[in-house]
Amino acid sequence: AQELTGDSLAHLTAARDGISLFHPHHLLFNYSIRLVYLTLLYTVGVDNVLLAAQIHNLAFAALGLFAVYWLGAIWLRSTTTGAIACLGAGGSTFVLVFATQPEVYIPSAALLFLATTGAVTVFEKFSPRRVLLCAASWALAMCFHQVAVLYLVPLVALACSRWTRQRLAVAVLITVLAGLCTTTAYLLAYQFGVNKSWYGNGFSDFVFYYLRYGDPTWGEIGNFGASGFGSLFGSHLWGLSSVLSGVGVAGYTVVGVIISGLVGVVLMGGRARHRDLAVMSVGWICGFAAFFLWWFPEEIEFGIFADQGVLILFMAAVGAIFLTARRLRGLRIAVLTVVTTGLIANLGFNIFLEARPRHVSKGKAA
């Protein structure tokens, strides 16, 4: 992407000049880009903060796709499922657009996918390393975008999908560790990295800055109506498919039926691991979508977080279908052909309708 929005320009200016690095809503994003920028500048002499931001986000996008592939290929034990899930995620609008645009969403989303690789394994069999992987990834995700705190909902859903006291204790342990890490990062940033007078009278004012100084239309109870739901569906569908988001109620209905069908497929044909992912994904979709319905339903950029749950549900359903049709080679080939064709078509539409226009225009930076 060559397009630079107002937020993009603010991020790049902060990273280049070393000012306003620690914004509470995306604590580490500007600082992380500055590290890449300074590395390029002092190692190879490249003074280009936009390039640094693009390399930064591309690296996180690759990490996220690796985590998606791992969940399919290793956790669900199907390399085909992993490859299809990667195609679905990599061909989605939000990855094609934001993987090379200086915006805050890709790093946080990638780290939530990585946290999930630790979570699914540690709930199956306790491992201190997996606990640390999940907690550290989640903490970093929250530091890259504050809304990642809502990952608590799918984490608890995963713990309760096969409820035991041990699984609940592991969820509490991960949450406490991630919370301590995140709180420490915010305390350090507040103490040493920001002008305290900008953020009110204390640490809590810094952390909850957007509650006091955000757009007055954010967080409206009135969003829980027909208009709010329509805006939410449209913005979140855009993150997956620019085509479906443009066809209105018909597109929303189709997607609703598809999501319900995916859940049914997993419940009927999947094993425990597929059902775990399905339960987690439903919690993921509901938790993030409900928050953004209240907060900012028309903002297309935030669909990335709920869309992650849709992608995991899709992966679980594809894995369940391949598992059920293991001895039916013709059915496997048919499913593989239809799904792959649809995903490649979606990739093409998203490139043509969304990614390419952002490549040929610099937007506000022009």
Side-chain angles (χ1 to χ4, degrees):
Q2 296 300 312
E3 180 190 54
L4 296 176
T5 64
D7 284 345
S8 297
L9 292 169
H11 297 318
L12 293 177
T13 302
R16 183 194 62 194
D17 299 338
I19 59 173
S20 302
L21 291 177
F22 300 104
H23 189 289
H25 188 55
H26 39 79
L27 190 73
L28 290 182
F29 184 70
N30 295 345
Y31 182 78
S32 186
I33 291 177
R34 181 163 175 79
L35 290 179
V36 179
Y37 169 64
L38 293 178
T39 300
L40 288 177
L41 181 62
Y42 291 118
T43 58
V44 293
V46 175
D47 186 1
N48 189 329
V49 71
L50 174 58
L51 177 63
Q54 291 175 326
I55 291 173
H56 175 272
N57 273 18
L58 275 170
F60 274 106
L63 175 66
L65 291 178
F66 166 78
V68 168
Y69 179 78
W70 189 97
L71 285 167
I74 307 301
W75 181 244
L76 297 182
R77 299 168 182 169
S78 169
T79 54
T80 303
T81 299
I84 288 176
C86 261
L87 178 59
S92 62
T93 316
F94 69 70
V95 170
L96 289 172
V97 169
F98 293 120
T100 56
Q101 191 175 63
E103 287 284 6
V104 300
Y105 311 102
I106 286 291
S108 186
L111 287 162
L112 290 183
F113 274 139
L114 185 63
T116 301
T117 67
V120 294
T121 51
V122 79
F123 282 126
E124 186 84 1
K125 183 179 180 181
F126 183 81
S127 164
R129 287 185 298 178
R130 294 293 181 178
V131 168
L132 291 175
L133 172 65
C134 183
S137 299
W138 183 17
L140 283 171
M142 287 187 280
C143 289
F144 272 103
H145 198 293
Q146 208 173 43
V147 79
V149 68
L150 295 174
Y151 185 70
L152 178 63
V153 178
L155 186 71
V156 171
L158 177 64
C160 294
S161 64
R162 285 181 279 162
W163 189 88
T164 64
R165 289 185 177 180
Q166 181 181 355
R167 288 169 71 94
L168 189 59
V170 170
V172 171
L173 177 60
I174 291 171
T175 303
V176 169
L177 290 175
L180 287 174
C181 290
T182 307
T183 303
T184 301
Y186 270 86
L187 282 168
L188 290 172
Y190 179 71
Q191 188 66 34
F192 303 108
V194 301
N195 184 338
K196 298 180 181 61
S197 63
W198 293 357
Y199 294 103
N201 299 316
F203 176 67
S204 62
D205 286 343
F206 172 64
V207 175
F208 300 109
Y209 174 71
Y210 267 13
L211 288 181
R212 297 180 297 113
Y213 295 105
D215 188 309
T217 63
W218 295 350
E220 289 291 310
I221 297 299
N223 291 337
F224 291 90
S227 176
F229 275 100
S231 297
L232 181 80
F233 276 112
S235 64
H236 283 46
L237 278 183
W238 177 90
L240 293 171
S241 171
S242 56
V243 175
L244 286 177
S245 66
V247 296
V249 176
Y252 309 158
T253 304
V254 169
V255 173
V257 171
I258 290 174
I259 290 176
S260 301
L262 292 177
V263 173
V265 167
V266 176
L267 294 179
M268 291 187 296
R271 291 179 178 171
R273 291 186 174 188
H274 300 84
R275 290 192 290 272
D276 280 352
L277 286 182
V279 171
M280 184 185 198
S281 67
V282 171
W284 200 319
I285 296 167
C286 292
F288 280 98
F291 175 77
F292 286 119
L293 177 63
W294 168 73
W295 189 40
F296 206 179
E298 66 271 20
E299 182 54 66
I300 59 174
E301 298 168 347
F302 294 140
I304 185 172
F305 294 105
D307 291 343
Q308 289 185 270
V310 177
L311 288 169
I312 287 181
L313 177 59
F314 170 73
M315 181 196 312
V318 169
I321 291 172
F322 284 155
L323 177 68
T324 304
R326 178 173 293 174
R327 297 182 180 179
L328 302 174
R329 187 169 181 269
L331 179 59
R332 284 173 60 87
I333 293 174
V335 170
L336 180 61
T337 301
V338 171
V339 171
T340 303
T341 301
L343 292 179
I344 291 175
N346 189 54
L347 168 66
F349 280 119
N350 289 340
I351 289 175
F352 180 76
L353 296 176
E354 297 292 342
R356 188 176 179 278
R358 286 172 168 80
H359 173 70
V360 299
S361 170
K362 291 186 177 181
K364 292 182 179 181

